[in-house]
Amino acid sequence: MQDYTRRKESTGCWELDRPSGTGMMLKTLLITSLLGWAKCQESQSMTLEEKTVIRDQIIEMFDHAYGSYMKYAYPADELMPLSCRGRVRGQEPNRGDIDDSLGKFSLTLIDTLDTLVVLNKLDEFEDAVRKAVKDVRLDNDVVVSVFETNIRVLGGLLGAHVMADLLRQRGERMQWYKDELLHMANELGHRLLPAFNTTSGLPYPKVNLRYGVLNPLSRTGTESDTCTACAGTMILEFAALSRLSGDSVFEEHARKALDVLWERRQRGSDLVGTVINIHNGEWVRRDSGVGAGIDSYYEYLMKAYILLGDNVFLERFNIHYIAIMKYISQPPLLLNVHMHNPTVSVRSWMDSLLAFFPGLQVLRGDLKPAIETHEMLYQVTKQHKFLPEAFTTEFRVHWGQHLLRPEFAESTYYLYKATGDPYYLRVGQSIVEKLNAYARVPCGFAAVQDVRTGTHEDRMDSFFLAEMFKYLYLLFSEKTELPIDIDDYIFTTEAHLLPVSLSTTQPSCQGNRSETVYQEEDLFTHSCPSTETLFPNNPSFAKTIRDSYKYLTGVGRAFHPLPVREIELPLHDSGMEPVEFLKSMGISITPLNEIMARDFGNQKEHKGVYRVKLVAEVSQTPEEEEVVPHVVQLISPPFLGRTVLTAGPAKFGMDLTKQEHGVKGSIVKASPYTACGQIDNAVELKGHIALALRGDCMFAAKARWLQEAGAIGVIFIDHREGSNSEETPLFQMVGDGDSTEDITMPLVFLFSHEGAVLTAALGEHHNVDVLLLPKERQLGRDKTEKPIGMNIKLRLAEEGELEEGAATGHTLEFVLEKEEVVLLKEKEDAEEHKGQRQSQQQQQFCSEAAQNDRTEPCSAKSSQSPNSNNGPDSNP
């Protein structure tokens, strides 16, 4: 927060340079410097009065957010803070997998219950529990995410039950409570259990709350993959449910899933991948990191040991942790690597979910890298106001979205509790101020669509109330000010509170304790952080670590780009364009000449930017491929061909450029809209052109599912809001790396703006016929357009004569010297061309070679124009 090397007007801090001069001056300067240093230290600290003011501000912010949900949204799952209404699944546009968190079970209310207790809002808590017991149903015919439902709803019910039971035992409140929340948690647990009906023991990613997974009415069960975190983030909630209810089935399934993930780790690196097949346990995505897709798997290994007291979880965590620090941690960065070749980073950006990791490192007792990574994250927030959803190793925005995620506040809380350093109170204060300044709206707090523009998104996810306010309130509270002893509880990944006493007061599952593994131990293997151990007589230890990173993002001093280091990526092309493949991995592509043109003279001691050298086997084409614009033309009444939507083509499927009249059909929206599994409305879709939403799986996978369902064509619609063909370049959809010869129907792509026009037409008229074809063949287009040509003007000049300014910019210069102009006359053929003479003038053009400043002779054949016989207009 403070820069102690320069004078600050607000603090009067001076740099502590060694003084010179007489002894008296030395003493005077020394005293002045010490006083200035002491003043700086005081400004860094925070008084109890200041903490109280900020804590009251946090309560007011919570009241605004929670009150807006209860006023405008309840009993809906979430609040739409810009629209001031609730988000009800099925009544709002489908957002793909994001909506799988919504189960029509008042998600935000349940997720917020134990936050009300932590914030000492006990009357509101009792009222909210009554509402949940009376209004919430868990048997809805809705397909939900197993992972999200577990951490948000099951965790929320268990945390609220623990709080309600505690208050009831105190005899002051909740005397009416008869474990209703625990009964609801038990019901929900049983509704999630069908997801574990797989040969491997890894759960399906989705389940129907009413019909399970394999029931014909479930509309799910076709998925084959799940993320590592999705399968490995069940043990806290399921074990707590088993030990509170006495039914061991839940803990048994959660332990089995963790056993599978452990067995499937890469034995050479001890890392796990991001996505795994739930049937055979094979890795689908082998990139390994600590962010999205893996994050809470590592978190739950550590916390399962704390909650359950089972050493096997700690031993597994420590083995993984050693691998993480060896391969993934590049302080202060945390970069994804390939699990089988962990010395190779697979992408040049980080996602915001990894912000939880410094907090986990605090629990491990490894403070130095925790401080380093947290400081890096803080510098990014100072540069962009919030943590972008993803940012590059140069700390630039990769994905600009900010969903009000709490992970950075979580790590800030853990670091303050471990160090007692008031610096982290100032970090927390900045979080509070930025939320109020840039996310607050009249009906709550809105996610930021892009941190670069500050535009808002109409969503306030339930985790904002469940986690953000909990961590911020605890950061500024003394233990004596809380209604519970916070040290008696472990936070789940959704910040729900589970009592650590479960390991001793409730029996563990019998017969399913995992086999222990041998590992080397260090100072912190079995210990919680100790400030005496970590900071022996050195309260400024954390500051000395942070100071190395205070200018990391360039804020406060000139920023020097990072150096370029070369790596080689072997890439054998089998259908996907190499550049598109790299972009899908988050690798930025820069032309080599642009890199070479930059000045790298002052770049030293920086890490993270590489010059990528492609070693590729790519089929070459004579000319650079051009994206041929296609159209979706609405031809049924009332449109009659007047509505034409620009579309992008695909590199596989039917080639519409070879179809004289295009492909005609009526459009039907696929169900599920993302078309990443079995198509539910195949009967309705057969013989029609399908509409499908981009995302969740590859275009080729969607096309196969839709073709199998009987569709005669597909129109893919972009899932990114605001994209349009006028501002976004068209691209060709590519395959999934495998052969796509089996896909024979036409495929086109619409950006979201054009897609909205098409879906609105379908919603209004129900029966809409369209024509898919190249843009140049659209109905009603003027067929007499002249082909695009280029006129080249040649001016003969004496050597050295050049128009002023002609040498600047992109200039093509032809130099014709008199002795190099050849005029060829054909002999007159009197017998065949009586009286007629034809002459052909052929000129040899030579370009001046810039390097040797001389003119080389050219082949007359190579310079001959292909249009030389097109008449007088073709001649210069």
Side-chain angles (χ1 to χ4, degrees):
M1 294 290 290
Q2 299 287 344
D3 177 1
Y4 296 118
T5 64
R6 295 187 175 93
R7 185 179 187 275
K8 295 283 190 178
E9 291 183 4
S10 60
T11 63
C13 300
W14 293 82
E15 58 183 340
L16 304 181
D17 290 338
R18 181 177 179 85
S20 61
T22 64
M24 181 61 70
M25 183 179 295
L26 176 62
K27 293 178 181 177
T28 303
L29 289 176
L30 180 59
I31 293 172
T32 303
S33 298
L34 289 173
L35 289 174
W37 178 84
K39 189 172 182 180
C40 287
Q41 292 297 98
E42 290 174 4
S43 67
Q44 182 67 49
S45 63
M46 184 176 289
T47 65
L48 287 176
E49 290 75 12
E50 285 183 279
K51 291 173 67 176
T52 300
V53 169
I54 297 173
R55 188 169 66 251
D56 290 344
Q57 186 179 11
I58 293 167
I59 292 176
E60 186 278 328
M61 293 165 64
F62 173 83
D63 289 341
H64 177 63
Y66 178 68
S68 294
Y69 166 74
M70 296 304 295
K71 179 178 180 180
Y72 299 111
Y74 182 79
D77 282 316
E78 288 182 345
L79 168 69
M80 300 172 66
L82 302 183
S83 305
C84 298
R85 68 173 188 268
R87 184 181 298 279
V88 179
R89 193 167 176 181
Q91 296 181 14
E92 302 294 335
N94 189 305
R95 300 178 300 169
D97 281 353
I98 300 174
D99 285 341
D100 289 339
S101 302
L102 313 180
K104 298 182 179 179
F105 36 35
S106 301
L107 172 64
T108 299
L109 177 73
I110 294 175
D111 218 1
T112 310
L113 288 174
D114 57 0
T115 304
L116 290 166
V117 176
V118 172
L119 271 60
N120 208 18
K121 292 183 169 293
L122 303 184
D123 290 336
E124 290 89 338
F125 172 72
E126 188 163 1
D127 180 63
V129 171
R130 290 184 184 275
K131 282 184 169 63
V133 171
K134 179 172 67 78
D135 299 337
V136 174
R137 295 192 52 159
L138 301 170
D139 62 346
N140 302 308
D141 181 12
V142 180
V143 176
V144 296
S145 162
V146 173
F147 167 76
E148 297 289 355
T149 304
N150 174 65
I151 66 171
R152 299 201 203 189
V153 186
L154 182 57
L157 290 170
L158 291 171
H161 163 70
V162 170
M163 295 295 102
D165 186 53
L166 176 67
L167 295 175
R168 178 180 59 185
Q169 291 180 28
R170 291 180 179 176
E172 300 174 0
R173 299 175 181 274
M174 306 295 297
Q175 297 304 300
W176 57 272
Y177 180 67
K178 306 298 181 185
D179 296 339
E180 288 88 348
L181 295 177
L182 179 59
H183 298 320
M184 293 172 67
N186 191 56
E187 177 191 349
L188 181 60
H190 280 285
R191 294 188 180 280
L192 294 179
L193 279 181
F196 289 84
N197 187 20
T198 62
T199 54
S200 69
L202 298 171
Y204 281 95
K206 300 178 183 181
V207 67
N208 187 300
L209 290 175
R210 180 176 297 175
Y211 297 112
V213 173
L214 301 179
N215 188 298
L217 300 176
S218 66
R219 304 190 307 282
T220 189
T222 59
E223 301 87 1
S224 60
D225 307 331
T226 193
C227 72
T228 302
C230 300
T233 310
M234 308 292 292
I235 186 64
L236 295 190
E237 293 82 3
F238 268 42
L241 179 57
S242 283
R243 299 189 182 203
L244 290 171
S245 67
D247 188 347
S248 65
V249 65
F250 306 108
E251 186 172 344
E252 290 170 0
H253 280 297
R255 282 180 177 261
K256 172 62 175 175
L258 284 177
D259 289 345
V260 175
L261 293 174
W262 173 252
E263 289 299 320
R264 300 305 300 178
R265 76 190 187 282
Q266 210 291 319
R267 299 302 177 99
S269 65
D270 285 321
L271 295 174
V272 293
T274 305
V275 178
I276 192 170
N277 185 289
I278 59 176
H279 300 299
N280 59 27
E282 296 295 326
W283 291 106
V284 178
R285 280 184 53 189
R286 295 173 173 83
D287 50 314
S288 185
V290 296
I294 302 181
D295 49 0
S296 49
Y297 163 65
Y298 293 132
E299 177 186 4
Y300 269 37
L301 286 177
M302 166 61 85
K303 291 183 175 180
Y305 164 70
I306 298 173
L307 180 69
L308 307 176
D310 191 340
N311 282 337
V312 71
F313 296 122
L314 181 62
E315 292 162 355
R316 290 179 181 179
F317 172 80
N318 282 329
I319 289 174
H320 281 315
Y321 186 75
I322 291 170
I324 291 169
M325 298 309 293
K326 181 178 181 180
Y327 300 116
I328 295 170
S329 176
Q330 301 179 33
L333 310 179
L334 292 164
L335 298 177
N336 278 30
V337 299
H338 196 289
M339 62 182 290
H340 295 293
N341 186 12
T343 59
V344 176
S345 296
V346 299
R347 68 189 193 192
S348 60
W349 50 272
M350 296 167 280
D351 63 77
S352 64
L353 286 173
L354 62 75
F356 90 100
F357 197 68
L360 186 59
Q361 289 178 306
V362 170
L363 286 182
R364 173 62 167 58
D366 200 358
L367 265 288
K368 185 176 185 293
I371 292 168
E372 291 172 329
T373 298
H374 180 274
E375 183 62 20
M376 176 270 290
L377 296 169
Y378 183 42
Q379 296 300 324
V380 174
T381 65
K382 290 203 291 188
Q383 184 175 0
H384 300 296
K385 298 184 178 67
F386 297 104
L387 268 186
E389 191 71 354
F391 53 94
T392 70
T393 53
E394 289 184 312
F395 314 112
R396 298 188 177 98
V397 174
H398 184 70
W399 297 331
Q401 197 177 33
H402 176 73
L403 303 179
L404 309 180
R405 293 197 186 277
E407 285 77 14
F408 179 63
E410 174 186 358
S411 288
T412 303
Y413 164 73
Y414 277 111
L415 276 167
Y416 177 66
K417 291 304 179 183
T419 66
D421 191 333
Y423 176 85
Y424 296 108
L425 295 176
R426 297 297 178 187
V427 175
Q429 183 181 16
S430 74
I431 297 173
V432 171
E433 292 171 349
K434 287 171 181 174
L435 285 173
N436 263 326
Y438 303 112
R440 186 167 182 144
V441 293
C443 294
F445 289 82
V448 179
Q449 192 171 51
D450 194 321
V451 297
R452 292 164 291 196
T453 62
T455 53
H456 287 129
E457 192 172 344
D458 200 6
R459 61 187 288 187
M460 188 181 81
D461 291 83
S462 67
F463 53 67
F464 182 60
L465 287 165
E467 300 184 69
M468 180 70 82
F469 290 108
K470 199 173 288 173
Y471 288 123
L472 289 176
Y473 184 83
L474 290 171
L475 177 62
F476 292 97
S477 300
E478 303 299 323
K479 286 183 63 174
T480 56
E481 297 169 331
L482 299 174
I484 60 175
D485 186 346
I486 201 67
D487 293 336
D488 290 340
Y489 302 89
I490 186 73
F491 290 110
T492 69
T493 195
E494 192 77 4
H496 294 305
L497 298 170
L498 298 177
V500 294
S501 60
L502 286 179
S503 62
T504 56
T505 59
Q506 302 290 338
S508 62
C509 296
Q510 299 300 315
N512 70 333
R513 293 177 65 85
S514 304
E515 181 182 354
T516 59
V517 292
Y518 172 77
Q519 60 154 8
E520 294 183 3
E521 298 184 355
D522 59 26
L523 178 63
F524 305 111
T525 298
H526 293 278
S527 66
C528 291
S530 165
T531 54
E532 289 299 317
T533 302
L534 298 170
F535 308 113
N537 302 316
N538 186 8
S540 64
F541 174 75
K543 179 182 180 300
T544 61
I545 299 173
R546 290 194 303 267
D547 283 351
S548 301
Y549 300 99
K550 77 165 67 171
Y551 297 124
L552 192 66
T553 63
V555 176
R557 73 175 180 190
F559 174 64
H560 299 289
L562 302 182
V564 173
R565 291 185 289 168
E566 290 192 1
I567 60 174
E568 292 188 358
L569 296 179
L571 181 64
H572 303 282
D573 185 75
S574 58
M576 289 187 67
E577 291 183 295
V579 171
E580 291 299 323
F581 178 73
L582 290 170
K583 286 182 179 178
S584 73
M585 295 169 61
I587 297 176
S588 301
I589 308 297
T590 304
L592 188 61
N593 59 341
E594 292 184 19
I595 295 179
M596 299 305 294
R598 297 175 183 168
D599 177 16
F600 295 112
N602 296 323
Q603 298 171 17
K604 296 179 180 180
E605 299 180 1
H606 288 281
K607 299 178 180 179
V609 178
Y610 299 85
R611 180 183 299 137
V612 176
K613 179 180 179 181
L614 286 180
V615 182
E617 296 175 4
V618 184
S619 57
Q620 300 294 326
T621 54
E623 298 179 357
E624 183 179 354
E625 285 190 300
E626 183 179 343
V627 178
V628 178
H630 285 48
V631 295
V632 176
Q633 190 166 15
L634 282 65
I635 57 177
S636 56
F639 308 102
L640 301 177
R642 292 186 295 268
T643 300
V644 181
L645 308 174
T646 301
K651 299 193 75 172
F652 58 99
M654 181 187 292
D655 186 352
L656 287 170
T657 63
K658 298 178 180 178
Q659 305 297 315
E660 183 176 358
H661 302 295
V663 173
K664 174 186 173 183
S666 57
I667 56 175
V668 174
K669 184 181 290 188
S671 176
Y673 196 17
T674 55
C676 288
Q678 191 75 37
I679 304 301
D680 299 330
N681 59 338
V683 175
E684 180 186 359
L685 196 62
K686 186 174 182 179
H688 297 84
I689 295 174
L691 298 185
L693 189 67
R694 181 186 187 183
D696 298 348
C697 62
M698 302 292 286
F699 289 119
K702 298 172 186 283
R704 290 188 178 97
W705 283 113
L706 293 167
Q707 183 171 277
E708 183 182 322
I712 62 171
V714 183
I715 302 172
F716 294 112
I717 297 177
D718 197 2
H719 63 309
R720 299 172 302 153
E721 295 182 6
S723 64
N724 61 81
S725 61
E726 292 184 0
E727 299 177 356
T728 310
L730 287 178
F731 65 91
Q732 297 187 82
M733 294 178 285
V734 295
D736 54 5
D738 296 326
S739 172
T740 52
E741 293 181 358
D742 58 315
I743 301 173
T744 58
M745 59 182 177
L747 314 166
V748 297
F749 178 84
L750 293 178
F751 290 108
S752 64
H753 174 74
E754 287 77 11
V757 174
L758 186 61
T759 53
L762 181 62
E764 182 177 356
H765 300 284
H766 305 296
N767 186 21
V768 176
D769 292 337
V770 299
L771 189 62
L772 310 181
L773 72 171
K775 189 171 186 177
E776 62 181 12
R777 297 181 188 169
Q778 69 186 60
L779 296 181
R781 186 181 181 93
D782 185 4
K783 300 291 193 306
T784 63
E785 292 184 5
K786 293 183 179 180
I788 297 174
M790 178 184 296
N791 293 325
I792 301 177
K793 179 185 289 187
L794 299 180
R795 184 178 66 84
L796 298 181
E798 297 293 336
E799 184 177 1
E801 181 186 351
L802 193 63
E803 287 187 359
E804 183 178 355
T808 62
H810 298 285
T811 304
L812 180 65
E813 182 180 353
F814 294 91
V815 179
L816 304 181
E817 297 186 2
K818 295 178 181 179
E819 63 269 25
E820 290 182 333
V821 177
V822 181
L823 300 179
L824 301 179
K825 294 184 178 181
E826 295 184 353
K827 293 183 179 180
E828 181 176 345
D829 190 337
E831 294 182 0
E832 294 183 11
H833 306 285
K834 297 178 180 179
Q836 295 185 2
R837 303 170 64 186
Q838 278 189 333
S839 66
Q840 182 181 20
Q841 185 181 55
Q842 189 175 51
Q843 299 181 345
Q844 293 179 321
F845 295 123
C846 297
S847 61
E848 182 176 15
Q851 295 181 356
N852 52 21
D853 195 25
R854 63 187 179 88
T855 305
E856 295 287 344
C858 299
S859 164
K861 183 178 180 181
S862 65
S863 64
Q864 186 173 350
S865 170
N867 297 323
S868 58
N869 295 323
N870 288 347
D873 288 342
S874 66
N875 295 326

